[in-house]
Amino acid sequence: MAHDDYQHQRNQMVETQLKARGIKDQRVLDAMRQVHRHEFVSAALRGVAYRDGPLPAGQGQTISQPYIVGLMSEALHLTGEEQVLEVGTGSGYQTAVLCLLAAHVYSLERNHHLADRAASVLKRLNYTNVDIHIGDGSQGLPDMAPFDAIIVTAAAPALPGPLRSQLSPDGGRMILPIGNNKKQHLEIVTRHGNRWEIEQTIPVRFVPLIGRFGFKDTTLQKNKRSSDDQDQTANV
Ligand code: SAH
């Protein structure tokens, strides 16, 4: 692992924010010790990049709290062989963590400014096993399906049907926040053939998934203030 000025902060982050709260997957802990979170935030926020909370990602969006990135990554049980779909690229930080944990990551972002910026940061940092697509991620990426794992980092009102059917029938796992635009729970969906097991976990607050199988754009307008507040927090 290359040493850099932020290595100490990353090690601390892993000890106090992840391990102390029960994240155990060694591959997830190693990946989060490695990914340069400070490269995914604006220059003004570099100094607080490793703090215990979400940060603004620009365009009214947020970069998830490290603990939530760790928790969601761990829930996917990745071994390094998987094809993963991520919905909500945002800054690209979660994407980079997934790149270290899986064989290939397809990441979908509806905002082309964010998609372009994330793609260029990922390229500069030499993450090559990733494709960023611009589009409505609530519809998934049917041409590339099935996916061994799907992660959605924006809140959906209900489980989007296309994502459900694009999950591998052979034990595919998906994690996503489901609820209203103020409060959601992280849900873990496991598919066995035509049976989908759903487990509800902790309460969280994410920005809305805007799209055909998400919230409508009007909901976004009405709740613009709350998403601008960078209110993506986990009640842990
Ligand atoms: N994982 C990101 C956080 C993303 S915030 C990170 O670590 O930085 C949620 C993101 O979902 C925002 O960038 C938002 O633009 C995007 N988003 C919302 N609805 C979407 C949709 N239907 N398809 C793709 N991306 C969407």
Side-chain angles (χ1 to χ4, degrees), residues 68 72 150-161 163-164 174-190 196-209 213-215:
I68 294 297
M72 292 180 82
I150 299 179
I151 175 170
V152 184
T153 61
L159 180 57
L163 298 184
R164 191 177 184 268
M174 166 159 46
I175 184 155
L176 77 170
I178 295 185
N180 59 35
N181 48 32
K182 292 213 176 66
K183 189 170 177 181
Q184 310 101 30
H185 282 87
L186 278 180
E187 298 199 3
I188 300 170
V189 181
T190 313
W196 285 262
E197 275 168 20
I198 300 182
E199 182 196 342
Q200 193 180 81
T201 70
I202 62 164
V204 285
R205 186 165 182 181
F206 278 78
V207 298
L209 180 77
F213 297 89
F215 291 98

Side-chain angles (χ1 to χ4, degrees), residues 4-211:
D4 66 280
D5 293 348
Y6 293 92
Q7 188 62 61
H8 177 68
Q9 289 190 46
R10 276 200 296 283
N11 293 345
Q12 287 290 109
M13 172 188 86
V14 166
E15 293 302 317
T16 63
Q17 300 177 34
L18 306 186
K19 282 172 86 172
R21 291 187 184 127
I23 308 281
K24 289 190 184 66
D25 185 328
Q26 206 53 52
R27 297 181 72 246
V28 171
L29 298 172
D30 285 346
M32 291 188 63
R33 270 190 208 101
Q34 203 172 320
V35 177
H36 290 192
R37 182 168 164 93
H38 61 277
E39 301 274 7
F40 294 87
V41 301
S42 62
L45 293 172
R46 294 238 160 107
V48 293
Y50 296 96
R51 77 169 197 195
D52 190 13
L55 289 169
Q59 308 282 318
Q61 303 299 326
T62 54
I63 165 168
S64 303
Q65 180 187 16
Y67 172 63
I68 294 297
V69 173
L71 186 78
M72 292 180 82
S73 302
E74 182 173 67
L76 297 175
H77 296 180
L78 299 171
T79 65
E81 305 284 308
E82 298 81 5
Q83 303 290 312
V84 177
L85 174 68
E86 178 189 40
V87 176
T89 316
S91 68
Y93 173 68
Q94 169 82 71
T95 321
V97 172
L98 293 169
C99 282
L100 295 181
L101 296 174
H104 199 91
V105 181
Y106 298 90
S107 189
L108 266 160
E109 171 58 57
R110 72 188 285 270
N111 181 307
H112 67 97
H113 297 290
L114 292 175
D116 290 350
R117 201 176 59 196
S120 77
V121 176
L122 289 163
K123 189 167 175 219
R124 179 163 57 76
L125 300 178
N126 287 319
Y127 292 96
T128 52
N129 56 336
V130 56
D131 290 302
I132 310 268
H133 294 256
I134 297 168
D136 174 13
S138 76
Q139 303 185 51
L141 210 50
D143 290 352
M144 302 299 167
F147 298 99
D148 304 302
I150 299 179
I151 175 170
V152 184
T153 61
L159 180 57
L163 298 184
R164 191 177 184 268
S165 57
Q166 288 171 35
L167 196 58
S168 164
D170 193 16
R173 290 171 72 81
M174 166 159 46
I175 184 155
L176 77 170
I178 295 185
N180 59 35
N181 48 32
K182 292 213 176 66
K183 189 170 177 181
Q184 310 101 30
H185 282 87
L186 278 180
E187 298 199 3
I188 300 170
V189 181
T190 313
R191 180 172 181 188
H192 302 284
N194 282 332
R195 199 162 52 80
W196 285 262
E197 275 168 20
I198 300 182
E199 182 196 342
Q200 193 180 81
T201 70
I202 62 164
V204 285
R205 186 165 182 181
F206 278 78
V207 298
L209 180 77
I210 307 296

